[in-house]
Amino acid sequence: MNSNQTILTSLLKTTQQGQVEIRSLLDTAMEPRLRSTLEGQLREYEAIETEAHVLALQRGWELKEMDTAHRFLSDRMTRMKLGGRNTDSRIADLLIQMHTKGMIRSLQELNRFPEKDSQIRILSQKLLDCETAGIRQMQSFL
């Protein structure tokens, strides 16, 4: 797997992780404004995931996706982290942690491979911007 394919695979898994965690949180009770914000973030992750698949297809690459067991465990861990405290503030806290981890993972991949395909670099930056915006959006719910 070349460096660009590695970056794209990591990006794909980050978006899938975010989707699993947001969907887990959407199953809980929350104020409508928070729910709407989470649904918007979910749509952003879905759009970035779709773009990653398109780029891989254009290059003839097969990307390794997040496996089913990891999805299941992520869902359970997210629900467990709520710990019965389904407050908007706790949900925002968990999402800020998730977005921060996504940013760190993305930056590590980008810094690990200095030579990047321009389209992959742009999509990586789009994910970083999405994570940054997600943190800002959640701050008002703390």
Side-chain angles (χ1 to χ4, degrees):
M1 185 179 301
N2 70 44
S3 61
N4 287 307
Q5 190 174 359
T6 300
I7 292 169
L8 201 55
T9 296
S10 176
L11 186 147
L12 177 72
K13 287 182 178 183
T14 298
T15 63
Q16 291 173 337
Q17 178 79 29
Q19 290 175 64
V20 167
E21 292 179 16
I22 289 173
R23 284 187 180 108
S24 298
L25 294 170
L26 284 171
D27 285 346
T28 64
M30 65 186 75
E31 87 169 62
R33 190 172 61 94
L34 178 58
R35 179 171 302 282
S36 175
T37 302
L38 264 63
E39 289 168 346
Q41 289 180 7
L42 181 61
R43 283 189 300 275
E44 279 192 67
Y45 277 131
E46 290 168 341
I48 293 170
E49 178 186 10
T50 298
E51 286 184 55
H53 282 295
V54 168
L55 288 175
L57 185 63
Q58 290 171 346
R59 288 155 179 77
W61 298 339
E62 188 172 318
L63 301 178
K64 185 173 179 182
E65 302 217 9
M66 192 175 164
D67 64 58
T68 307
H70 191 100
R71 287 175 193 263
F72 176 78
L73 290 174
S74 291
D75 173 69
R76 293 294 156 219
M77 284 299 296
T78 301
R79 292 170 192 274
M80 188 179 79
K81 286 177 185 176
L82 279 174
R85 298 171 291 162
N86 297 354
T87 64
D88 291 349
S89 178
R90 181 64 184 145
I91 291 168
D93 178 25
L94 289 175
L95 280 164
I96 288 171
Q97 291 175 41
M98 177 197 74
H99 288 302
T100 301
K101 287 178 188 175
M103 284 181 67
I104 291 168
R105 201 172 18 248
S106 296
L107 286 168
Q108 286 173 333
E109 286 298 320
L110 285 171
N111 291 332
R112 196 171 91 172
F113 300 110
E115 297 298 319
K116 291 168 273 312
D117 174 298
S118 64
Q119 289 180 300
I120 292 172
R121 184 176 31 76
I122 289 167
L123 188 57
S124 295
Q125 186 59 54
K126 188 174 187 177
L127 177 59
L128 283 171
D129 294 344
C130 172
E131 301 290 16
T132 303
I135 291 169
R136 275 194 317 274
Q137 291 169 346
M138 289 300 109
Q139 288 173 347
S140 66
F141 295 102
L142 290 175

